[in-house]
Amino acid sequence: MRSSRRSAAAASPELAPTLAHALAAGHPVDAPAGGIAADSLAPKRIGELMFPIAQQHVKVVLVTDEAIAHAQKALWATIRIAAEPGGAAAFAAVLSGRYEARPGSRVAVVISGGNTSAVNL
C-alpha cells in the first residue's frame, strides 16, 4: 500500500537559505537574505503557521546564484520564457543536478517572470 503522505522539494538560493536554516534549527529563525533571488525568495524568517507543514513535508535544495542565472538563460534560449531569478530557482535545482527525482516520481516546476524581462537576460 502506498503512503498517502507526500513529500516536496523546495529550491532556495544558497544566499537566502531561510527555510533551510529553520529546518536545521527545528524552528523558525532569522536568516540572511542576499543574492539575485532575494526579492522573491528571502523572507527574514519562515512563518510560524507554515513551518510545521514544511518541517513534515518539504526537503530544501539549495542552489547557487550562478545556477539560477544559468537556468534563466536556458529558459530564454530554448523556449523564450523570461523568468525572474526566484521563478527560475526550481528549474535551476533540476538543471544543475542539485535535485534528483526518484525513479517513477512526477516532477513539476513552477516558473514565473513578474520581476524581469528578456532585456535583463
Side-chain angles (χ1 to χ4, degrees):
M1 178 180 222
R2 288 176 61 175
S3 169
S4 62
R5 184 173 166 176
R6 296 175 188 235
S7 63
S12 293
E14 285 184 344
L15 297 176
T18 310
L19 181 56
H21 281 203
L23 292 173
H27 55 87
V29 295
D30 289 351
I36 64 173
D39 62 339
S40 61
L41 296 180
K44 183 176 182 177
R45 177 182 283 249
I46 294 299
E48 298 287 338
L49 294 176
M50 187 288 265
F51 179 75
I53 297 166
Q55 190 176 35
Q56 188 172 22
H57 300 286
V58 177
K59 175 188 174 202
V60 177
V61 177
L62 296 174
V63 292
T64 65
D65 277 2
E66 292 77 20
I68 293 170
H70 178 71
Q72 285 183 283
K73 289 174 185 168
L75 287 165
W76 179 251
T78 57
I79 54 178
R80 291 295 190 249
I81 291 178
E84 65 182 77
F91 184 58
V94 173
L95 189 62
S96 69
R98 291 276 177 109
Y99 173 78
E100 292 185 37
R102 291 183 306 224
S105 64
R106 294 181 184 183
V107 176
V109 175
V110 176
I111 300 168
S112 63
N115 292 329
T116 195
S117 68
V119 175
N120 292 345
L121 300 176

